[in-house]
Amino acid sequence: MSIESLRKRYEAAGQGHLLKFWPDLNESERAALLSQLEALDIERVNRIYKKAISSEAKVAHPDAQSDPIQPLPRDASDSVTDPKKEGEWRKAGLEAIARNEVGVLLMAGGQGTRLGSSAPKGCYDIGLASHKSLFQYQAERIARLQAVAEHEVRVAAGTVVIPWYVMTSGPTRRETETFFENHSYFGLNPQNVIFFEQGTLPCLSMDGKVLLESRSRVAVAPDGNGGLYAATRSPLSPKDKNHTVLSDLVQRKILYVHAYCVDNCLVRVADPTFLGYSIHKQADCAAKVVPKAHPTESVGVVACRGSKFSVVEYSEISKEQAERRDPETGELTFRAGNIANHFYTTNFLQRVESFEEDLAFHIARKKIPHVDMETGEMVKPTKPNGMKLEMFVFDVFPFTERFAVLEVKRNEEFSPLKNAPGTGSDDPETSRRDLLAQHRRFLEGAGAIVKDGVEVEVSPNVSYAGEGLSSIKDKVFKRSGHVEQVEELDALML
């Protein structure tokens, strides 16, 4: 596109100021800015801004009538408390895995900044004896689950594949790919590990004008974890613009997708029980949740706004609602804590584009360094001067046709890594503690005795969720250590 055509397009969109410094740029700066502006859908940016502003104003209006917040209908949710039902769901999930109908979407775009690391968060070592990263644990769970499905469904070894779609971000893409390459993809076939990138949106002034971070570059920010959906439609490589995550899912004949965040050390990747439950419910989208720890826990809950499923932030629920309990069970009525762990059909992921224009992005007002359009000098504001627009992964829930919720045990499936070491909550030490406590339960569940103070790290190569340990029944573990094969457990009994 010529510079004159581009100028006309941006002026028509009210964003012509982005080319103000064009006469002062050198050749390489002009090329960089031209490339960025050509790739940017500026009309879409304007639509997103207007929708976000109008939605925010509508909610804030004193006469606004908001939909009532209601608990989940009983028929929309279930829990893993019935061993018979859980076994049936697990069997159905393993059968889908064995038919190569299941893929996994990992949201891994964040850096470990709050952990004192600039590396991608999935590279983090939580202090286990094995020194494995979060990425490695999750990769080994995939490998083990493929083997479990082959064994239990009785299909040939090496025929089951769970493709892993790893969503990075601009700052983490190269380092994530290099980390996988340096670790030989943790034993997985590189053809079945597909990297793609979370999108970005321009940073805006309070009146919707796109900001420049330099005279030759637009200021951008990640578009939130809900950017996952648009990212699945973006080309995986500039060389082949038709090859996307969605097209890859279709090509591989993947029907069901499990999506989760990288920072949960207990995540059951491609959990066959969750998959089987969602398939049984004929859900097009489903959420795995954990019970709230207490009424005032600062966590969003899956509930209903009017007749639509939604995630309701803790600040939107009154004290009375937060403390309300089911008269039959005594459990909190609003207890379905959201943990960003979801099931989708591939058909639903394809359908998101049809209603994406109806989704309102959320506004985060921030201090955004930018170029002063009058002087051309850099400005570092001391108070919020602009906005970043983001979508959340759960914003699609109200648009589902068949939604389901599965409640699982927090101590078995959710221990997020959010805070710096030594914080005492959601930090590396609590992640390590919770994972090793789970491994102790694996051993004790198989009939073994683990002496006080003994810590045994059981590799996912040995057991995905406690299976495959029948040989240790009645054995006593007296030594701490970590094992990569079930035979190595003998050395810890001496």
Side-chain angles (χ1 to χ4, degrees):
M1 184 181 292
S2 72
I3 182 61
E4 288 311 314
S5 298
L6 197 67
R7 190 186 301 276
K8 285 180 182 176
R9 180 181 158 209
Y10 272 76
E11 285 177 350
Q15 304 284 5
H17 63 282
L18 295 174
L19 288 160
K20 178 174 180 178
F21 302 108
W22 183 264
D24 305 325
L25 304 181
N26 61 37
E27 196 169 317
S28 64
E29 290 173 331
R30 286 184 175 188
L33 181 59
L34 187 65
S35 174
Q36 193 181 21
L37 295 183
E38 281 180 337
L40 186 60
D41 185 345
I42 192 63
E43 294 80 13
R44 175 175 178 261
V45 172
N46 284 344
R47 290 196 303 272
I48 288 172
Y49 165 74
K50 288 174 183 173
K51 176 81 172 176
I53 288 291
S54 65
S55 295
E56 187 182 65
K58 185 178 176 183
V59 170
H61 194 280
D63 297 328
Q65 293 291 316
S66 58
D67 290 325
I69 296 171
Q70 299 172 331
L72 289 169
R74 288 187 185 275
D75 62 354
S77 64
D78 216 319
S79 61
V80 290
T81 54
D82 183 333
K84 183 169 183 275
K85 282 198 293 188
E86 187 179 351
E88 290 171 353
W89 296 333
R90 180 178 179 275
K91 181 173 181 290
L94 285 175
E95 288 171 349
I97 291 169
R99 291 191 299 267
N100 291 326
E101 295 174 348
V102 173
V104 171
L105 276 173
L106 167 60
M107 292 172 274
Q111 294 170 292
T113 310
R114 285 160 70 181
L115 303 169
S117 168
S118 62
K121 195 183 272 192
C123 301
Y124 200 83
D125 168 7
I126 60 173
L128 296 165
S130 66
H131 293 291
K132 291 179 182 179
S133 64
L134 294 170
F135 279 140
Q136 182 164 353
Y137 248 83
Q138 291 160 25
E140 290 179 355
R141 284 177 182 143
I142 289 173
R144 172 64 184 172
L145 186 56
Q146 289 173 166
V148 168
E150 288 165 354
H151 174 71
E152 294 198 23
V153 186
R154 299 183 181 179
V155 297
T159 61
V160 172
V161 173
I162 302 172
W164 199 15
Y165 300 89
V166 181
M167 186 174 78
T168 64
S169 61
T172 65
R173 173 76 178 260
R174 185 64 241 155
E175 196 170 350
T176 300
E177 290 186 349
T178 301
F179 191 76
F180 273 71
E181 289 162 5
N182 291 345
H183 291 84
S184 302
Y185 291 80
F186 313 105
L188 297 176
N189 184 336
Q191 292 183 335
N192 299 320
V193 181
I194 300 95
F195 297 99
F196 67 113
E197 201 167 304
Q198 179 180 357
T200 60
L201 282 170
C203 300
L204 305 176
S205 66
M206 294 301 188
D207 59 353
K209 298 296 183 184
V210 174
L211 298 174
L212 287 172
E213 71 173 26
S214 74
R215 294 184 179 204
S216 60
R217 181 162 180 81
V218 171
V220 298
D223 56 4
N225 59 15
L228 167 75
Y229 304 108
T232 61
R233 303 193 301 270
S234 297
L236 293 171
S237 164
K239 298 173 185 175
D240 184 359
K241 299 208 169 177
N242 293 318
H243 189 201
T244 66
V245 169
L246 281 182
S247 73
D248 199 79
L249 289 169
V250 172
Q251 183 182 336
R252 292 173 184 263
K253 299 180 180 177
I254 300 295
L255 301 181
Y256 313 110
V257 175
H258 177 225
Y260 68 96
C261 290
V262 73
D263 62 2
N264 178 12
C265 70
L266 297 182
V267 65
R268 294 190 179 181
V269 185
D271 176 17
T273 302
F274 184 39
L275 289 164
Y277 165 75
S278 303
I279 293 168
H280 170 74
K281 296 286 284 187
Q282 297 184 309
D284 51 8
C285 177
K288 185 183 280 192
V289 301
V290 297
K292 285 182 69 173
H294 50 82
T296 57
E297 183 182 9
S298 301
V299 62
V301 295
V302 182
C304 289
R305 291 183 193 273
S307 61
K308 302 287 188 181
F309 293 99
S310 181
V311 170
V312 179
E313 295 301 334
Y314 63 92
S315 57
E316 299 178 79
I317 296 177
S318 68
K319 184 174 183 292
E320 184 276 326
Q321 286 175 314
E323 295 177 349
R324 188 187 305 165
R325 293 186 179 272
D326 186 312
E328 293 181 22
T329 64
E331 296 172 325
L332 292 172
T333 305
F334 291 94
R335 70 175 182 278
N338 175 48
I339 59 173
N341 192 315
H342 307 311
F343 163 94
Y344 308 98
T345 62
T346 300
N347 284 338
F348 179 79
L349 290 176
Q350 290 173 310
R351 193 166 64 83
V352 170
E353 186 175 14
S354 69
F355 57 76
E356 208 162 38
E357 291 285 331
D358 295 326
L359 296 171
F361 278 68
H362 306 270
I363 298 171
R365 290 175 173 82
K366 302 281 187 179
K367 293 181 284 188
I368 304 171
H370 64 285
V371 172
D372 185 295
M373 296 308 298
E374 297 301 320
T375 65
E377 299 297 318
M378 276 299 300
V379 177
K380 290 190 176 179
T382 56
K383 59 183 181 180
N385 64 301
M387 56 181 73
K388 297 179 180 181
L389 299 169
E390 57 186 6
M391 185 185 293
F392 300 143
V393 70
F394 53 74
D395 284 338
V396 301
F397 287 2
F399 296 86
T400 56
E401 294 174 358
R402 295 175 303 280
F403 188 74
V405 176
L406 183 66
E407 184 182 288
V408 297
K409 296 175 182 176
R410 183 186 290 244
N411 68 335
E412 295 292 354
E413 302 209 31
F414 187 55
S415 181
L417 179 60
K418 304 286 187 189
N419 302 319
T423 305
S425 171
D426 296 345
D427 64 12
E429 291 83 8
T430 60
S431 291
R432 179 185 182 278
R433 177 201 69 197
D434 293 345
L435 189 59
L436 291 175
Q438 182 184 68
H439 292 178
R440 171 182 281 265
R441 290 192 296 275
F442 285 176
L443 300 175
E444 292 175 342
I449 297 169
V450 184
K451 291 290 188 179
D452 289 347
V454 171
E455 294 181 334
V456 181
E457 181 188 350
V458 181
S459 167
N461 293 319
V462 174
S463 184
Y464 173 86
E467 81 294 328
L469 298 171
S470 58
S471 63
I472 63 169
K473 189 174 188 298
D474 298 325
K475 301 292 178 65
V476 180
F477 287 87
K478 301 177 181 178
R479 296 177 58 190
S480 298
H482 85 275
V483 296
E484 292 297 323
Q485 299 178 39
V486 71
E487 295 79 13
E488 295 174 5
L489 286 165
D490 291 342
L492 303 181
M493 301 174 193
L494 301 176

